[in-house]
Amino acid sequence: MAKVESELQQLSHRRIIVGVPLDNSFLQMIASVNETGKVITAKKEWLTIPTAAAGTRKAREIPGLFKPKGKNILAVKNGDDLTVMFYLKKQVVIPKRPFIRQATIRNRHKWAKMAREGVLGIIRGNETSDSVSKRIARVMANDIRLTMRVLYDPANAPATVERKGFNNPLIDSGKLIGSITWTFRGSE
């Protein structure tokens, strides 16, 4: 009985933290922008929105890049034609894509049921606070990743779809979805 009480005490003081690693400020910013939406305004004159032709390069990395008169693009000459490398915008609106919030709303009852079943497992002597916490944390992280994979609305802007080659707003390089992890606070 003392072992059961100890395990339940540990479980009651443990907090599962699931999401983007707290020590990665760039991915924290990307997740935050997607959760809440954001209007991004150019600090100088223009934001440069890359096309598929620009790929992952920055404007300064492309030789011969220029702004044609009267056009809000940056391009390079391609014989007699121009290849558009960047669209120039004064601001862009990133719509809300609250993947963590949606995953929580969709799955909170499942996660609570897992916790109740885990408590029963501890009482029966089949589980530990550690095994229950790890199982719930893994499921939570997987549910967030699944939500990211299936969230298509609001869609990417047409230029983003062209550059990425597909329309999945929360998937690009794979860094954000690959970063979803879990940790514990309290009763280690």
Side-chain angles (χ1 to χ4, degrees), residues 20 27-28 30-31 34 99 148 170 173-180:
V20 178
L27 289 178
Q28 282 285 321
I30 297 295
N34 278 290
F99 62 98
M148 293 175 76
L170 293 170
S173 68
K175 288 180 184 174
L176 183 62
I177 195 169
S179 77
I180 302 299

Side-chain angles (χ1 to χ4, degrees), residues 2-84:
K3 174 75 171 152
V4 168
E5 285 181 28
S6 173
E7 290 293 332
L8 290 174
Q9 184 73 6
Q10 286 180 35
L11 186 64
S12 71
H13 288 90
R14 182 171 287 163
R15 300 293 171 255
I16 300 170
I17 300 171
V18 182
V20 178
L22 296 173
D23 63 353
N24 189 321
S25 60
F26 178 74
L27 289 178
Q28 282 285 321
M29 180 270 302
I30 297 295
S32 175
V33 165
N34 278 290
E35 281 291 318
T36 61
K38 186 165 179 78
V39 175
I40 301 172
T41 304
K43 290 179 184 171
K44 295 185 180 177
E45 192 171 358
W46 299 101
L47 294 169
T48 53
I49 311 303
T51 65
T56 59
R57 296 178 290 175
K58 300 199 180 310
R60 66 179 171 272
E61 298 171 345
I62 300 173
L65 194 64
F66 71 102
K67 181 182 181 296
K69 188 173 184 167
K71 305 235 184 239
N72 290 340
I73 61 170
L74 293 177
V76 294
K77 283 201 174 260
N78 187 4
D80 291 337
D81 296 325
L82 294 178
T83 300
V84 177

Side-chain angles (χ1 to χ4, degrees), residues 160 163-164 166 168-175:
T160 304
R163 180 186 54 78
K164 287 170 50 170
F166 57 92
N168 189 323
L170 293 170
I171 309 292
D172 190 0
S173 68
K175 288 180 184 174

Side-chain angles (χ1 to χ4, degrees), residues 20-148:
V20 178
L22 296 173
D23 63 353
N24 189 321
S25 60
F26 178 74
L27 289 178
Q28 282 285 321
M29 180 270 302
I30 297 295
S32 175
V33 165
N34 278 290
E35 281 291 318
T36 61
K38 186 165 179 78
V39 175
I40 301 172
T41 304
K43 290 179 184 171
K44 295 185 180 177
E45 192 171 358
W46 299 101
L47 294 169
T48 53
I49 311 303
T51 65
T56 59
R57 296 178 290 175
K58 300 199 180 310
R60 66 179 171 272
E61 298 171 345
I62 300 173
L65 194 64
F66 71 102
K67 181 182 181 296
K69 188 173 184 167
K71 305 235 184 239
N72 290 340
I73 61 170
L74 293 177
V76 294
K77 283 201 174 260
N78 187 4
D80 291 337
D81 296 325
L82 294 178
T83 300
V84 177
M85 303 301 275
F86 296 92
Y87 299 107
L88 300 175
K89 300 276 188 179
K90 295 288 184 184
Q91 70 176 206
V92 294
V93 177
I94 309 296
K96 288 182 190 178
R97 295 183 178 109
F99 62 98
I100 294 173
R101 198 169 334 137
Q102 286 185 19
T104 301
I105 290 167
R106 284 188 190 130
N107 296 290
R108 68 177 174 234
H109 296 297
K110 174 175 80 173
W111 301 340
K113 181 181 178 193
M114 291 177 70
R116 287 189 303 272
E117 290 169 353
V119 167
L120 290 174
I122 290 171
I123 292 169
R124 290 181 187 127
N126 303 330
E127 297 266 15
T128 65
S129 62
D130 198 45
S131 67
V132 170
S133 299
K134 285 179 180 177
R135 184 173 54 259
I136 295 170
R138 278 192 303 273
V139 168
M140 291 172 78
N142 286 334
D143 287 340
I144 291 171
R145 289 185 206 106
L146 177 62
T147 300
M148 293 175 76

